[in-house]
Structures are given as C-alpha cells and as structure tokens.
Amino acid sequence: MPLHPLEPLTADEVREAVRLLQSSAEFTPTTRIISISLLEPAKAAVYAWPQTAKERRRAEAVIFDNARNTAANVRLNLKAERIELWERAAEGLQPTLSVDEQVECEQAVLRSEAFRDALMRHYGVSDTSLVMVDIWSAGNYGAEEERTRRLTRPLCFLRRDATDNGYAHPIEGIRPVVDLNTMEVIRVEEYGEWPLPPEDSQYFEERIPEKRTGIKTLEITQPEGPSFTLEGKQLRWQNWSLVVGFTAREGLTIHDVRYQDRDRVRPILYRGSLTEMVVPYGDPGPTQVRKNAFDVGEYGMGMCANSLKLGCDCVGHIAYLNADLCDSRGGQLKIENAICIHEEDFGILWKHTDRRHPEHPEVRRSRRLVVSSVSTVENYEYGFFWYFYQDGNIQFEIKLTGILSLGAVHDGENPKYGTVIAPLLYAPNHQHFFNMRLDFGIDGPRNTVQQIDVVVSPEGDDNPQGNAFFAQKTNLARESQACGNLNIETSRTWKIVNPNSLNRMGEPVGYKFFGGDNAVPLASPKAWWRKRAGFVDHHVWVTPFDAKERFAAGDYPNQSTGGDGLPAWIKQDRNIENEDVVFWYSFGHTHIPRPEDYPVMPTAYIGFLLKPNGFFEQNPANDVPSTSAAKSASKNACCHS
C-alpha cells in the first residue's frame, strides 16, 4: 500500500531533516532542535489521494538558539533536499522545553553551590545525590526576566534512597530559578522554614510488603488474530479507516477518519488532536502560587510519551507503533511502542427480548477499537485513548493518574487550599484543562455547526398536559456566536452537519457532539495563567479552517504574556456556516485531593463522545452477527437462539 500523505515522518525522513537543518549557515553550535514533524499537505491533495500524483514529503521544524535567545520556524522540502523557509519568531517568544534541557536543568540545580548551601541551611543535607528535581516552567508574571531569558522554576524533593518515592518529601522552602540559555541557577528563592515530611510511602511493587491475594488469572485471547489490519500507519477495522499520527508536541493524533457505508467511503473527521492543556494550582501561598503547567506547549506531550508494555498498559492481541523523533542536538530519539492498538469487549452493543418469544432473545456484544498513548509529565500521567465503535460512535478519553504534586505543612496546620494526606504533607487543590481540535469533514469539507438545546414548550393549547419539550437547533453563523458552554438545564449538545449532503429524510447528515464531565476555571480572569490560557473561557469554539491555527494557546505559550490563540483568532468574527470548520472543545477536571489519591492516584476519566445523527439510514450495527454466529452456528449460544 502506498504511503498515505498524512503518515508521520519516518526515522530516515527525520534524519534527512536534521541534516538539512545542520547544513544551514543559520544553524550554530548553540542551536537546539525543538521538534521536527510532517508539514501536512493541502487538504485537496489528501482528498484526491491516491488517484493523483504522489505528494512531495515536506517537514517543519522549530529551532531555538540559546546564544541569541531566539526561535525560528523552518520548512524543509525533503524530496528536493532544500530549505524552503527559515522564519525567525518575534523577540521574546519561547518554544517548548526540549527533553535534553529537562535533563540538563536537573544537573544544573544539583551542581549549584547556592542550592547546596540553601539545602544545608534548611535541612542539614549536603549530599544532593538523592535530590529529585522536577523541571517546572516559569510562566509569566510580568517580570522583565520572563521576557528576556529562558527560565524554569524547578520543584525539588529528597529521596531516602534511589527508589524511594521522593514526592513524599518535598523541599518546600527552597525554589531554584534556572536560566536554560546558560544552564545555570541564577538564584535560589527562600520562603521560610518547613519540616521535611517524615513518612515514607511507596508504590514500587518490590517495596509493598503485603500484597492482596485472591486475584485469579484473567486471560484475553484472540486465537484467530485481531480484526484490524495495519499497513504502515494506515489502520482499518469494522468499516473504519484512519491514519495514526504522532508529533513531538501533540503526541497521538488521528487523521482522515472514514467509514465504509455499503458502497460509499464517507469522510467524517479530517484531523483530531490535543492542542493544549494547563494545570493551574489553587494555593496562593508563596511556594505554590506560581504552579501552573501548559503540558503540550511547554513540555511536549509526544516527547513525554511512554514505551508501552504488553500486559500492563495494553492487554490482548496488540499492535504497536513507534514514534520517530530527535533530541535537541539532532540525535535519533525513537520511542518504542509509543502507540498501542487493540480491540476490547465493551459489554452489550444492543439487545431486545420479545416477551412473546422469550426463548429467542437477540443480543450483540460490543467490540471497540482502541488507539492509545500515555505520557508522563514529571509527576502526572495522562493516557490518551481514541475509541471507535461498531455503531459509528467515536469516543475520546483522557485517563489521569500518577502522583500528586505535594507540599509540606507545619505541625498542626490545616491548609485552606489543599488536603493533608499524611503527617506534615499536603496536596494543593488544582484543575486540569484540555483543549481538543476537531477538524471535521462530514461527507466533505463544507460543514455547519448547530447548537442543540432541549427546550420546554409553554403550557397552553399546544401543550395542555405540560409534558412537551423539543430540540431547538441554532445554526452557528459567525465565530462570535459559536463561543458556548455546556448547559445541563437544556441538555446542550452540538451537531456538525453537512447542508450539502442530505439523508433519505431530507435532513443534513451529521454527527452529534456530547461533552462529558467538565469544569469552569476557578481563578480570576486577571490571573496570569488565564491570560495565557484564553481557551478555558469557553467550552466550545468554532473557527474556519486555517492551516496556521493549530494550537489553542498560540504557537509559543511558554513564558507568553497571553492573548494568543483562540481569543485572538475569533476577533475576526469570520463566517463559519457551510464552511470548512474546526470545532474546538475545552474540558476540565477539578481535583480536590483525597488521602486515597496517595501515594499514587487511582485513574480519573474525562472526555467526549461523537455519535452519528442522521448520518446513517439506520443503526449501522444492526448487521453485527451474534457472538455464536461469528464463531460457529451453535444453537446453544446465549446471544441468539
């Protein structure tokens, strides 16, 4: 099968891109490569593939020169072996932290005499070999140095030994500040004396002395192999087809999602990706007030991806995909098994028993295709799961786990803005906000988004019993009109329709969007992190497609002053009716920690669901055979008789 034009760059293509960058006179010994990814071709070329000529493969890179403190965007033609564009970013813009800088930052703190001196004065500790240094972005609070330097403000913890859970022992009163351009600690901020929390709390299996018993073996087998096929990054399963992508910044992406509806291959979603997230903390104390992290734009979700393991992260008959990236010096960085693909049983797909024929129940098991990736951003883990169902549903879910970001308290203190979870140890309140970019193409690129509110009819001649309600559809015509929030009182949903493609009932074909659990930002709109994360101001935004508009907080959220991304774009108030539209969804999780979240958090879940609504003529899963029919013609099966 020929290479799909949206498949991510291969390892060879990444190496060629590195070679082209390093051959340029603009590339100096102090230049770092922040990311290299596929420069996606125009939509027309993708929709015409594979009938048209093969598209030339191109790459885009973000680079940063530590000596100049400047970033640049570079476009490379891999086929022609030339640089097409080298565009310097505006002064003061800071790109994502590279994986090398994160490692080097920790070493800079550990070798700092100022840090060693503070550690000795506060805790009587001179040996830094057991100090854990978590790199935390500096953000922007209006200081001049945040505009002119590339900074981080790490959080530090003290392990008792090499595998100890260091997060149980936060070094609360000391905050080193690191200039990443010089890779030096420029100062150590001290905020007072806090005791080191005394209790150990472990999660490594070998350090758990008493493990529960009584768990019997549960095996998931597919003796005939999986029902999906994977060629390169092109995936097919149960009428679905899509391309699996991956970038250093976004992590897992999906592309060109289509459904085989009888004799038609129908496009649904052109691209789906996580564009940004932010984790703001709610404690105004001096050691906690600056804690907020834009994990996509500041750290790179793809660079933080795990190598997944069979039987642990994924169970069953698994196919894995690697991620081919590079480090900031151009060295190959291959994340083995960065993406996991498998099928899983998901309970009942549909069922009915005719009471007149109770001996003939009809029930079908639901099976779903799972495409997933997991990233670790210092203390937190985020699992990103795309689910595709036999009834045409598409679901996206984020699984939140890992370890709380902890602080110390004084004896007898009951913190107002967090929860004491162990002696002298507390977890501050915080929120997680995510933004997803859904570039729809329902039966083609020109779509309209409708806001659907369930409205109660007033009592009267048309509603004498007072029981009537109906779905009120509002076509969203301009960007300003589309900014909206979930509303439980009207069961608000959104429907993406194609007014140029009608179903047999004469209605536009469409998919309906259902938001799941969500939250609103609790910080003041004047808070610095909110200025930089304007995407949290609304749950839903709709914009016309623009290839340059990809990240909800802008291209350079690291140390930004704010105002970039969605809030800036929608000021144009462009037409979005019967256009190539992009649907942006912001969703949040408010975390008031519990003792049961420690030492490692049980998984929390958040996401959304897309359901066909007038897209098919009837239930597309009506043709799914019973489990027994799929396996054999057994008359004794419980699913069908």
Side-chain angles (χ1 to χ4, degrees), residues 41-57:
K43 284 188 175 183
V46 175
Y47 279 122
W49 180 87
Q51 284 73 30
T52 58
K54 183 178 179 181
E55 184 78 12
R56 289 185 175 182
R57 298 277 280 180

Side-chain angles (χ1 to χ4, degrees), residues 484-488 492-494 513-518 539-540 585:
N485 291 324
L486 296 173
N487 185 346
I488 192 171
R492 180 171 293 165
T493 56
W494 286 262
F513 178 93
F514 294 84
D517 288 346
N518 210 322
H539 294 141
V540 166
Y585 180 58

Side-chain angles (χ1 to χ4, degrees), residues 193-263:
E193 300 288 339
W194 273 270
L196 200 68
E199 281 192 3
D200 296 340
S201 190
Q202 310 299 341
Y203 61 90
F204 277 98
E205 185 173 20
E206 59 269 21
R207 302 192 70 156
I208 308 299
E210 297 182 8
K211 301 179 184 64
R212 71 170 64 187
T213 60
I215 302 176
K216 305 299 183 181
T217 300
L218 175 62
E219 294 183 348
I220 299 173
T221 62
Q222 291 181 277
E224 298 175 334
S227 301
F228 62 81
T229 61
L230 182 64
E231 298 185 50
K233 304 298 192 299
Q234 300 175 59
L235 180 60
R236 286 176 170 77
W237 176 84
Q238 288 289 289
N239 297 325
W240 289 106
S241 65
L242 63 143
V243 175
V244 182
F246 196 93
T247 73
R249 180 165 174 170
E250 301 160 294
L252 175 63
T253 58
I254 61 166
H255 307 259
D256 200 16
V257 178
R258 305 186 186 214
Y259 192 94
Q260 178 79 46
D261 184 14
R262 299 177 183 173
D263 60 346

